[in-house]
Amino acid sequence: MKKISILLAIAMLIASCKKEIKPKEPAVVWEAFDEAEVLANQQEHDNERMRYKLINSVITDKNTIWAPFADDLAYVTKADYEALKPLILEKSIPEINLSIKEGKLTYEQLTQFYLYRIRAFESDNDLSLNAVISLNPKALDFARDLDLAFDATKIDLYSVKGMPILIKDNIGLEGTATTAGAVALKDNMADDAFITKRLKESGAIILGKANLSEWAYFFCSGCPLGYSALGGQTMNPYGRMKFESGGSSSGSGVAAAANYAVATVGTETSGSILSPSSKNSVVGLKPTIGKLSRGGIVPISSTLDTPGPMTKNVIDNAILLNAMLGKDKADAITVASLPTDILSIERGNLQGKRFGVIKALKEDSLYITALKKIESAGAELIEFDPGNPGLTGFITLLNMDMKVDMPYYLADYANDQISFKSIADLVTFNQQDSLVRAPYGQQLFEGIVADTTTMEQLNEIKSNLENVGRNFFNSALDSLKVDAVLSINNYHAGYAAVAKYPALTVPMGYTDDGEPISLTFVAKPFEEEKLLQLGRAYEKISKERKAPKNYQ
């Protein structure tokens, strides 16, 4: 093994020398353009939320995103990039690891591939998706360190080691700002979040930060999904300017779909992983509250917030989940969890499984098709009607949690350059230049400031909501003894949120217009492994995910 390592080091030295004499590629430069005509056409869109005011950020020059890698990418040719595509594009973590193990691919090449790809698409005003806010300037250095320490005999096919991962830009990453997409936090050079540390300890390469709906979409009312002042308008690769990107983990969903990274991490309060995952035909897991730490993540609600993995397939989802597990002493709700059994998930099947089918969804043709496939695989379908109970007090819960949780984050996790202490401070700051800092308004922030609910009233609201959410699913999970309830997209994400139940969404197909739709599995707390088994079993018989055609 020592001999192999020496040979690899020599090979890298030779490659470095070649770089010195290899001619540089022409510089790739993004150029701002007059958006007036595009935006005027967008005002005719049927969906009011897609009648955009802006496409690109007026604050961020996109060239600064890939500037740290300008010299490295200058020596990567289009031919180099194309040669790597068969080894990387749409490949799973085990497949990529196998290519590395067999010497067909290095960690540096893998990382450069994604950096090159992000720059290529994001610098093209006809194809850009605004999925990335920033890149980690240390990403290539870490990849090279892994190459120097490479030992083929120690490669674990089911590990995130050496895999470039994008994380949502409300999750702390040392060396890059953690902004939540907001001007107020553009200089927030916070430390690693707990899950970021866990990813690094597992050997993952944190490639950078994904765009998001600003402040995780609890900021403006009725505004576009996927817009942030620092990242601009995130767009859906299956229908750019045509379909919504979903949110609030918009950039995470888009980046995973468009192969901007091996996998991504999002966060959810209510639907913020399930929505962009389903809208972008990727697998998204909203874990049980407490499965993963929220430490170092810009919050909405300590009651409902959770990070979660977003990937192109179920096995990758389980691998990424395992890499983030761990009990965080600073987040009392987290529990110590055993890793999910990847091989057990791979062996999962639907024979003899029982699923709760929501009566109201049986008008959806893709849902019906999915049910037929599941039934043909040996599962039993039990129809039930949970009704449509109201979630009274839901906004109040978010208001009051954020009123308390944001000051805690600003005091304990934000860096010293951030002087804000409350939501009221942020509202005042945004009012000073509202056209730039809050072009769609900040109605929800203003609602937080105005809310006078007492803690006693809040606790009663939380208890009532949890009962409503659990009763919604338990009428099937308990009374009908089903393994999981089958929903669509994020249609019932609010109930899963307040119930604190895990949910997994898996690509189910596409409408006649080409918009992705997903099948969502909901189960009892800490049944993530069961969900992943069921999701993988469905994925094997359906094979619905297709890469977006303009991003292949």
Side-chain angles (χ1 to χ4, degrees):
M1 283 308 107
K2 186 176 181 181
K3 183 177 180 182
I4 292 173
S5 297
I6 292 170
L7 290 173
L8 182 61
I10 292 170
M12 292 179 69
L13 180 60
I14 292 170
S16 176
C17 292
K18 285 183 178 178
K19 177 178 171 181
E20 296 302 320
I21 60 173
K22 189 178 180 180
K24 282 189 176 184
E25 293 293 295
V28 176
V29 179
W30 171 75
E31 296 181 0
F33 69 101
D34 186 346
E35 299 176 359
E37 183 177 349
V38 176
L39 292 172
N41 293 335
Q42 199 67 14
Q43 305 315 303
E44 305 299 318
H45 202 287
D46 292 339
N47 184 340
E48 202 169 322
R49 284 195 306 209
M50 292 194 69
R51 296 171 189 170
Y52 302 144
K53 294 181 179 181
L54 296 157
I55 298 172
N56 293 305
S57 169
V58 298
I59 297 167
T60 304
D61 177 350
K62 289 211 280 191
N63 293 298
T64 61
I65 296 173
W66 47 82
F69 306 102
D71 186 57
D72 295 288
L73 292 178
Y75 297 96
V76 180
T77 67
K78 182 76 183 304
D80 295 334
Y81 167 74
E82 293 293 337
L84 291 174
K85 267 189 181 181
L87 299 174
I88 301 173
L89 205 66
E90 286 294 300
K91 298 301 183 184
S92 67
I93 289 174
E95 288 173 319
I96 292 172
N97 272 322
L98 183 59
S99 290
I100 291 169
K101 181 182 178 74
E102 293 176 344
K104 299 175 182 176
L105 185 65
T106 67
Y107 295 116
E108 180 179 7
Q109 288 174 320
L110 179 63
T111 306
Q112 281 186 332
F113 175 88
Y114 289 117
L115 294 172
Y116 184 98
R117 184 173 175 81
I118 289 167
R119 185 186 65 173
F121 283 116
E122 293 304 308
S123 63
D124 185 334
N125 286 321
D126 293 323
L127 291 171
S128 66
L129 300 169
N130 287 341
V132 177
I133 280 187
S134 61
L135 291 169
N136 179 7
K138 297 179 181 178
L140 269 178
D141 292 338
F142 191 56
R144 288 169 181 143
D145 288 344
L146 289 175
D147 281 328
L148 286 172
F150 175 75
D151 183 344
T153 66
K154 294 182 179 178
I155 295 291
D156 177 359
L157 299 185
Y158 300 102
S159 168
V160 297
K161 184 176 181 179
M163 299 297 105
I165 308 293
L166 283 167
I167 60 177
K168 185 176 179 179
D169 194 25
N170 59 349
I171 302 171
L173 173 62
E174 183 183 7
T176 67
T178 298
T179 72
V183 179
L185 296 186
K186 71 180 179 66
D187 297 319
N188 181 30
M189 302 299 288
D191 293 333
D192 287 339
F194 184 87
I195 61 165
T196 308
K197 292 176 185 175
R198 294 293 296 122
L199 286 168
K200 287 182 174 181
E201 288 165 5
S202 298
I205 297 171
I206 309 301
L207 191 64
K209 298 293 201 70
N211 199 4
L212 69 163
S213 307
E214 190 166 335
W215 295 109
Y217 206 58
F218 203 68
F219 177 51
C220 47
S221 179
C223 48
L225 293 167
Y227 173 80
S228 75
L230 295 183
Q233 181 60 54
T234 314
M235 290 168 278
N236 189 320
Y238 290 90
R240 191 179 177 276
M241 310 289 283
K242 181 179 180 182
F243 304 135
E244 286 188 301
S245 64
S248 65
S249 304
S250 316
S252 300
V254 168
N259 285 270
Y260 279 10
V262 171
T264 65
V265 179
T267 66
E268 174 150 331
T269 306
S270 175
S272 288
I273 289 172
L274 300 178
S275 163
S277 295
S278 55
K279 287 287 188 182
N280 293 282
S281 200
V282 299
V283 176
L285 175 67
K286 192 278 283 192
T288 307
I289 307 303
K291 184 78 171 178
L292 297 176
S293 166
R294 291 85 53 85
I297 299 176
V298 182
I300 293 178
S301 166
S302 55
T303 307
L304 306 181
D305 288 351
T306 178
M310 301 170 71
T311 58
K312 293 183 286 295
N313 61 76
V314 174
I315 292 297
D316 285 5
N317 206 276
I319 292 169
L320 187 53
L321 174 67
N322 282 349
M324 294 187 285
L325 294 175
K327 182 171 176 57
D328 180 4
K329 293 179 181 178
D331 184 5
I333 202 168
T334 57
V335 299
S337 296
L338 292 173
T340 56
D341 184 340
I342 304 296
L343 296 181
S344 173
I345 291 166
E346 183 57 57
R347 289 193 298 264
N349 66 78
L350 298 175
Q351 185 66 43
K353 299 297 187 289
R354 292 167 57 85
F355 292 99
V357 174
I358 298 174
K359 183 179 180 180
L361 299 181
K362 292 187 74 175
E363 296 179 2
D364 187 287
S365 61
L366 289 173
Y367 187 69
I368 293 298
T369 299
L371 294 180
K372 288 177 180 177
K373 289 179 180 179
I374 289 169
E375 193 169 35
S376 296
E380 186 177 355
L381 305 178
I382 299 93
E383 184 179 304
F384 77 112
D385 185 4
N388 189 30
L391 293 174
T392 304
F394 186 76
I395 294 298
T396 301
L397 187 162
L398 301 186
N399 281 347
M400 298 310 296
D401 269 4
M402 200 172 190
K403 182 178 277 192
V404 172
D405 297 336
M406 186 61 73
Y408 171 74
Y409 172 85
L410 294 170
D412 282 32
Y413 290 102
N415 76 333
D416 294 340
Q417 302 303 312
I418 306 302
S419 60
F420 310 107
K421 299 186 184 306
S422 67
I423 297 292
D425 290 347
L426 294 167
V427 168
T428 300
F429 173 79
N430 291 329
Q431 288 170 340
Q432 293 167 2
D433 190 358
S434 61
L435 290 178
V436 170
R437 297 171 185 174
Y440 296 100
Q442 53 178 338
Q443 300 88 345
L444 296 180
F445 264 26
E446 290 165 349
I448 293 171
V449 174
D451 201 320
T452 58
T453 302
T454 66
M455 286 299 109
E456 183 180 357
Q457 291 170 326
L458 177 62
N459 289 333
E460 183 177 353
I461 287 170
K462 289 180 181 181
S463 177
N464 290 340
L465 284 171
E466 184 172 313
N467 287 334
V468 170
R470 296 198 169 195
N471 289 338
F472 183 92
F473 295 110
N474 289 354
S475 57
L477 292 170
D478 287 342
S479 303
L480 301 177
K481 301 287 191 272
V482 301
D483 292 288
V485 170
L486 299 178
S487 180
I488 298 174
N489 290 9
N490 60 318
Y491 289 7
H492 301 101
Y495 298 110
V498 294
K500 303 175 185 174
Y501 282 7
L504 177 76
T505 194
V506 181
M508 183 169 69
Y510 304 83
T511 65
D512 292 341
D513 208 19
E515 185 172 19
I517 303 287
S518 289
L519 184 66
T520 300
F521 301 74
V522 183
K524 285 290 192 77
F526 300 104
E527 290 189 338
E528 282 80 7
E529 186 162 324
K530 177 199 278 189
L531 285 178
L532 291 162
Q533 287 173 340
L534 297 173
R536 176 57 181 147
Y538 170 69
E539 183 181 59
K540 286 189 287 189
I541 65 169
S542 60
K543 299 184 174 101
E544 291 293 351
R545 173 173 161 79
K546 299 177 181 66
K549 66 179 182 180
N550 291 330
Y551 299 86
Q552 295 182 20

